[in-house]
Amino acid sequence: RLNFCVCVCLEGILERLDAGEVVVGDGGYVLQLERRGYVKAGHWTPEAAVEHPEAVRQLEREFLRAGADVIQTFTFYCSEDKLELSGNVSNITGAQINSAACDLAREVADEGGALVAGGVSQTPLYVKKGSENEVKAIFKKQLDDFLKKDIDFFMVEYFEYVGEAVWAVEVMKTGGKPVGATLCISPDGDREGVPPGECAVRLVKAGADIVGINCHLDPLTCVRTVKLMKEGLEKAGLKAHLMVQPLGFHTPECNIGGYVSLPEYPFALETRIITRWDVHKYAREAYNAGIRYIGGCCGFEPYHIRAISEELAEERGFLPPASTKHSLWASTLETHTKPWVKARAGRQYWENLLPASGRPKCPSMATPTDGRP
Ligand SMILES: N[C@@H](CCSCCCCC(=O)O)C(=O)O
Ligand SMILES: [Zn+2]
């Protein structure tokens, strides 16, 4: 019999992972907050941390309630060059966003014994051929803002070029805290064709304590890429913890360009949203692959994070608070008034269901355009 509780652990991220604990990550922020009316699509900048802290706090609380052990700061795409390019905010600085986002994540994490990860992400300058010093200066600016706050570890996320991610890791490592690094690449490698195993080796040599994949592709494809990273580390005799925070969308036809390459991106992805039952399969697959930091990215909503917590409840030894309003494998339907709904109570039914999309005349797959010939 499992109890409902928030895991009030006192250890840091590496102590938890070293102990073999499962760390449940949070889900996607910018896409979800865009749907809620707080983020402008296209440049996806996080000024809402200053303009609408209540909206960011609410979503962070929902992820915590769903079992997240880590709350990432709402600082994605908060580099000065990205903020300038976006044109969304002229009167709010990156420093103000970083500061507000760190306070929000700390406030919510402390409500449930979770950790705070200060996050940096790819910059427009890198693809414009900025020099190593120029690009590193951007990450340093964010690091300096984070060091003024109570952050548990750093996250380097959403990098398509391992070269830029290595620069980010090298800078964040000077902050004296653990660093996690996730690339948004495919099993074929990064944007320049560097294979996942080699990417992992370079990230660990740069100082990353945790390596993996986030965003761009569906959960099972991301797990496959992390397995290739793991093989590369083993071949090189290197050790690191593994993490994965995939898309909450099905993207069977995509490769390195990920969901951004789909004709449906970003405003017609709804038919591709994964179900909570897809998440059960993903979480188990990730766990069996030896990955212990398991979360989500764009498209992953709190109920998806709850599904990770429920699939791994035995391993964690508890259920999240949000499971007080859920029943494992739809057993709650047993009390439904309609017999035909009642008949859908149970694992067998949902685990084997092949859900229809409800869109006659619509294709099941599209033709991606990801900048490659
Ligand atoms: N931790 C972040 C990751 C966002 S990944 C967003 C990808 C944007 C793609 C684009 O630039 O079009 C979040 O949850 O918002
Ligand atoms: Zn994402």
Side-chain angles (χ1 to χ4, degrees), residues 27-30 42 44 72 76-77 157-158 215 259-260 265 297-298:
Y29 289 94
V30 287
W44 307 104
Q72 293 186 213
F76 177 75
Y77 276 169
E157 65 158 349
Y158 195 71
C215 206
Y259 72 146
V260 178
Y265 179 86
C297 200
C298 302

Side-chain angles (χ1 to χ4, degrees), residues 68-249:
D69 297 310
V70 176
I71 299 296
Q72 293 186 213
T73 55
F74 188 57
T75 54
F76 177 75
Y77 276 169
C78 193
S79 59
E80 293 301 339
D81 60 333
K82 182 72 176 179
L83 290 170
E84 271 152 44
L85 183 68
S86 75
N88 283 350
V89 280
S90 50
N91 57 336
I92 302 176
T93 64
Q96 286 171 305
I97 296 170
N98 288 328
S99 173
C102 289
D103 290 343
L104 283 165
R106 184 79 270 160
E107 175 192 349
V108 172
D110 287 352
E111 292 172 1
L115 298 171
V116 172
V120 298
S121 45
Q122 63 177 251
T123 66
L125 186 58
Y126 184 80
V127 284
K128 288 179 194 155
K129 303 292 175 234
S131 72
E132 179 172 346
N133 287 340
E134 287 169 324
V135 173
K136 282 187 165 181
I138 289 179
F139 298 128
K140 182 73 171 59
K141 227 168 141 69
Q142 270 197 281
L143 173 64
D144 291 344
D145 290 343
F146 292 156
L147 289 175
K148 293 173 190 145
K149 297 291 179 180
D150 180 7
I151 302 290
D152 295 299
F153 66 104
F154 299 118
M155 185 74 78
V156 160
E157 65 158 349
Y158 195 71
F159 284 83
E160 295 172 84
Y161 297 88
V162 66
E164 186 185 18
V166 161
W167 290 353
V169 169
E170 287 170 346
V171 170
M172 301 316 281
K173 203 62 192 169
T174 65
K177 296 172 188 277
V179 176
T182 54
L183 305 178
C184 48
I185 65 171
S186 81
D188 291 348
D190 84 342
R191 269 273 178 201
E192 287 170 335
V194 179
E198 174 58 23
C199 288
V201 167
R202 293 186 195 177
L203 290 170
V204 171
K205 285 183 173 171
D209 304 284
I210 313 162
V211 296
I213 296 292
N214 83 294
C215 206
H216 269 199
L217 294 164
D218 61 85
L220 295 182
T221 303
C222 288
V223 170
R224 217 163 73 234
T225 309
V226 176
K227 282 180 181 173
L228 293 170
M229 292 178 111
K230 183 182 177 191
E231 284 168 20
L233 290 173
E234 285 164 351
K235 255 188 229 133
L238 293 171
K239 285 189 82 57
H241 292 293
L242 301 170
M243 70 179 287
V244 63
Q245 302 206 107
L247 276 192
F249 302 112

